[in-house]
């Protein structure tokens, strides 16, 4: 009986989050007549299943059949992204040339890369450029090309031509989703073609994706993961989500993070309507 009540409550939480875009822990606890800790466990369970995504400073409903904007993505899994970005930046060694993709998680590396000495950053989007533009210790190269407003990243023939003249020690890539069988998922083929070129020009490849992006297939454009790729995700990623990647020869790093009270107490639906 308790299991049935728990399943019913969680289903209703998802339904409400889909319709309103926001579910507060205290309000839900009163509504269902349970403790806030029970609701937090519900939210943790639903997050691990990819049914909701916790946010920082609020919540947003995400439609997985349409590409969300950079602003919308910036509030998804804030603390997880911040921890992933910090870990990724720590891998950069003095004297290296690294490529940083467009996106919110990889863009969050900027604040940490400011402290790196004798590093060249090849920027694939505006976010990392803005973060490093006033960093005197960083040499910046820009891919150029066509700017995609939704992602604020550069794509197209000019970006690909620039990549063909470069090699990098490390490439840090973002993704709309990541699947162990198919690789990196993006909204358009022009994006996955560029990501394949990025991976081809790098000695070490890292894909930065928090747990809510693992095992999802929201679009139909794919970039296969080369052998030796490292998937960097957060500690909430379950073995069910990460085991397929390890079986495919991908190294999985789970970065722990401490959630803020706001991030812990709000939720947004993955697959809900805008």
């Amino acid at each position: 009986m308790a299991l049935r009540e728990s399943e019913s409550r969680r289903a209703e939480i998802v339904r409400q989050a889909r319709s309103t875009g926001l579910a507060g822990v205290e309000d839900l606890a009163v509504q269902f007549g349970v403790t806030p800790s029970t609701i937090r466990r519900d939210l943790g369970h639903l997050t691990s299943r990819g049914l909701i995504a916790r946010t920082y400073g609020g919540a947003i409903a995400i439609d997985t059949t349409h590409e969300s904007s950079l602003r919308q993505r910036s509030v998804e899994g804030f603390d997880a992204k911040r921890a992933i970005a910090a870990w990724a930046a720590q891998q950069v060694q003095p004297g290296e040339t690294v490529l940083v993709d467009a996106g919110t998680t990889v863009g969050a590396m900027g604040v940490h890369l400011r402290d790196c000495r004798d590093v060249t950053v090849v920027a694939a989007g505006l976010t990392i450029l803005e973060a490093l533009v006033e960093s005197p210790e960083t040499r910046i190269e820009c891919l150029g090309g066509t700017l995609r407003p939704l992602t604020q990243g550069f794509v197209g023939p000019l970006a690909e031509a620039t990549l063909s003249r470069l090699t990098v020690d490390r490439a840090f890539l973002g993704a709309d989703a990541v699947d162990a069988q198919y690789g990196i998922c993006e909204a358009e083929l022009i994006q996955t073609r560029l990501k394949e070129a990025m991976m081809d020009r790098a000695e070490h490849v890292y894909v930065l994706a928090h747990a809510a992006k693992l095992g999802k297939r929201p679009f139909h454009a794919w970039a296969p993961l080369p052998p030796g790729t490292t998937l960097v995700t957060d500690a909430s990623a379950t073995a069910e989500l990460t085991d397929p990647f390890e079986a495919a020869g991908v190294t999985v790093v789970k970065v722990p993070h401490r959630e803020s009270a706001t991030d812990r107490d709000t939720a947004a639906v993955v697959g809900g309507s805008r």
Side-chain angles (χ1 to χ4, degrees), residues 37-51:
S37 61
T38 296
I39 294 298
R40 290 194 178 97
R41 285 194 295 272
D42 288 342
L43 297 182
H45 175 80
L46 294 171
T47 298
S48 69
R49 292 177 58 193
L51 296 175

Side-chain angles (χ1 to χ4, degrees), residues 6 8-9 82 106 118 129 136 169 207 209-210 221 226 234 240 249 266:
S6 176
S8 176
R9 183 177 63 249
R82 183 171 56 181
V106 285
D118 190 27
L129 281 174
D169 296 292
V207 178
H210 62 93
D234 65 278
E240 182 180 2
T266 57

Side-chain angles (χ1 to χ4, degrees), residues 2-150:
L3 178 60
R4 185 176 302 172
E5 291 177 355
S6 176
E7 292 177 348
S8 176
R9 183 177 63 249
R10 290 169 178 172
E12 178 61 16
I13 289 172
V14 171
R15 189 197 68 77
Q16 290 186 27
R18 179 177 290 116
S19 62
T20 67
L22 177 65
V25 167
E26 298 297 335
D27 290 341
L28 288 172
V30 171
Q31 176 184 344
F32 293 108
V34 297
T35 64
S37 61
T38 296
I39 294 298
R40 290 194 178 97
R41 285 194 295 272
D42 288 342
L43 297 182
H45 175 80
L46 294 171
T47 298
S48 69
R49 292 177 58 193
L51 296 175
I52 65 173
R54 298 178 185 182
T55 71
Y56 178 80
I60 190 166
I62 305 162
D63 185 347
T64 57
T65 63
H66 295 85
E67 187 179 13
S68 55
S69 70
L70 196 72
R71 181 191 64 79
Q72 291 171 315
R73 297 177 193 184
S74 66
V75 299
E76 300 164 23
F78 179 87
D79 284 315
K81 291 180 177 182
R82 183 171 56 181
I84 290 169
W87 183 93
Q90 291 172 3
Q91 311 314 303
V92 178
Q93 303 300 311
E96 289 190 336
T97 296
V98 299
L99 186 150
V100 181
D101 196 6
T104 55
T105 308
V106 285
M109 291 177 63
V111 66
H112 305 286
L113 291 175
R114 293 172 189 167
D115 299 326
C116 296
R117 294 183 176 275
D118 190 27
V119 169
T120 298
V121 174
V122 180
L126 296 183
T127 305
I128 192 67
L129 281 174
E130 292 174 353
L132 296 176
V133 67
E134 296 183 1
S135 174
E137 301 293 337
T138 308
R139 178 178 177 179
I140 302 174
E141 304 287 353
C142 182
L143 283 189
T146 301
L147 182 68
R148 294 189 77 245
L150 272 177

Side-chain angles (χ1 to χ4, degrees), residues 209-224:
H210 62 93
K213 292 186 175 183
L214 304 186
K216 302 297 189 299
R217 303 179 184 180
F219 305 114
H220 295 286
W222 297 92

